Amino acid sequence: AGSITRETAEQLGITLLDSYIISGDSACPETAVKPETLYSDLRAGRRISTAQASLFERHQSYESLTSRFDRVLYLCVGSAYTGIYQAADSWAKQAQSDGLTAVDSGAASGRLGLAATAVAEFANQGHAFKRVIAYARAAFSECRELVFLDQLKYLAGGGRISKASGFFGDLFSVKPVITPLAEGVQKIGKVRKNAQQVPLARDYFTGRIKDGAEVRILLQYTDNLDRVSTEIQPAIQSAFPRAKVALTPLSLTSGVHMGPGTWAMAVLPEVKL
């Protein structure tokens, strides 16, 4: 459920464990779903949901990884969103395996993808395993994300908010701004026009980025690549000229619940141990 492509994962030595996208009677691994089809179906009102892989499938993945590597660091989706961390930690204890270390990231989507990328790059520098774990915990603690929703009805449909809240939000053209935290999703504001989104993001992160600091920024898109790449990315790069700004698709697991038209911005300051 992290916003990271399979190509990037392969380059960095990351193994992705898929969630499933459920549409009608079919269930498909997230990374095998075509985003354009998913968002088209959502806009058309087709009922789509998500599910975790079965415990059996997850256990098979853990066994495969620990049989091939002496040490595996599993950066789990935040426990406020799923029970993945608890299940992985329980498996490691029952299997009496010290090969798998599960970390509750407290994150999903961009926070998870951006921090995981930084952790993989740090690990690939040859640091000791305990130091990599410490870096991971620090990265997730420092990383922040804003998600700009286009409509509330997708969160309402998935039970993330009440359907009444979703209806009245859309009725009055309110576009909520949320931030996924370790404790769960927190609403931090709202705008009525798309043009107000970038100024809000700029103001929010300006106070959280020290002058002269090197930062990583991950912009994520749904079915709005043109807007994010031609309008939002240049504006963010201009606002934070020292930042390394990357562009990637929003995790489809998140996309199902957040809906088409959504974009997100994750920011990771330089991590110092």
Side-chain angles (χ1 to χ4, degrees):
S3 298
I4 180 171
T5 64
R6 189 163 290 281
E7 291 75 19
T8 298
E10 290 175 353
Q11 291 172 5
L12 294 172
I14 296 174
T15 297
L16 299 181
L17 303 184
D18 275 302
S19 296
Y20 282 80
I21 306 295
I22 302 173
S23 179
D25 295 329
S26 66
C28 187
E30 175 179 357
T31 54
V33 173
K34 293 182 178 180
E36 58 272 20
T37 300
L38 172 67
Y39 292 119
S40 176
D41 287 346
L42 285 170
R43 287 191 181 277
R46 188 170 185 178
R47 184 170 179 79
I48 300 175
S49 60
T50 62
Q52 298 300 325
S54 67
L55 274 176
F56 175 79
E57 184 177 343
R58 280 181 268 165
H59 290 174
Q60 289 291 302
S61 297
Y62 306 158
E63 290 175 6
S64 174
L65 286 165
T66 53
S67 70
R68 291 184 289 128
F69 302 100
D70 292 333
R71 292 286 185 272
V72 177
L73 178 59
Y74 186 10
L75 306 177
C76 304
V77 178
S79 57
Y81 309 103
T82 75
I84 286 178
Y85 166 73
Q86 292 88 341
D89 188 56
S90 176
W91 177 88
K93 291 176 180 176
Q94 291 179 3
Q96 297 183 338
S97 171
D98 60 358
L100 178 72
T101 300
V103 170
D104 183 352
S105 72
S109 59
R111 278 187 67 215
L112 181 54
L114 180 57
T117 298
V119 172
E121 292 177 355
F122 185 80
N124 288 336
Q125 295 171 7
H127 295 283
F129 190 66
K130 288 185 178 180
R131 190 167 175 80
V132 175
I133 295 174
Y135 183 93
R137 297 189 189 281
F140 286 117
S141 176
E142 294 291 332
C143 195
R144 290 292 180 269
E145 181 175 26
L146 293 184
V147 180
F148 294 87
L149 303 174
D150 189 57
Q151 294 182 313
L152 276 169
K153 67 179 183 181
Y154 300 102
L155 279 177
R160 267 56 180 181
I161 58 173
S162 71
K163 292 188 177 181
S165 297
F167 173 76
F168 288 113
D170 288 344
L171 179 64
F172 294 109
S173 301
V174 171
K175 299 179 185 294
V177 185
I178 61 175
T179 181
L181 301 173
E183 301 78 21
V185 174
Q186 178 182 357
K187 183 177 177 182
I188 67 160
K190 60 186 178 182
V191 299
R192 294 189 178 276
K193 299 178 180 179
N194 284 341
Q196 297 173 317
Q197 293 175 330
V198 169
L200 189 152
R202 181 190 60 222
D203 294 344
Y204 180 87
F205 284 113
T206 294
R208 290 166 171 78
I209 297 176
K210 296 179 181 179
D211 291 340
E214 295 184 3
V215 297
R216 300 168 184 249
I217 295 177
L218 183 65
L219 296 176
Q220 304 142 76
Y221 57 89
T222 50
D223 59 347
N224 50 4
L225 173 59
D226 287 346
R227 180 187 173 220
V228 176
S229 62
T230 63
E231 174 188 334
I232 296 172
Q233 186 173 9
I236 295 299
Q237 186 69 77
S238 177
F240 304 102
R242 290 176 56 86
K244 179 182 177 182
V245 182
L247 185 66
T248 198
L250 180 75
S251 155
L252 293 188
T253 297
S254 300
V256 167
H257 299 294
M258 296 175 181
T262 294
W263 68 276
M265 175 178 174
V267 174
L268 177 63
E270 184 178 4
V271 178
K272 295 183 179 180
L273 296 180

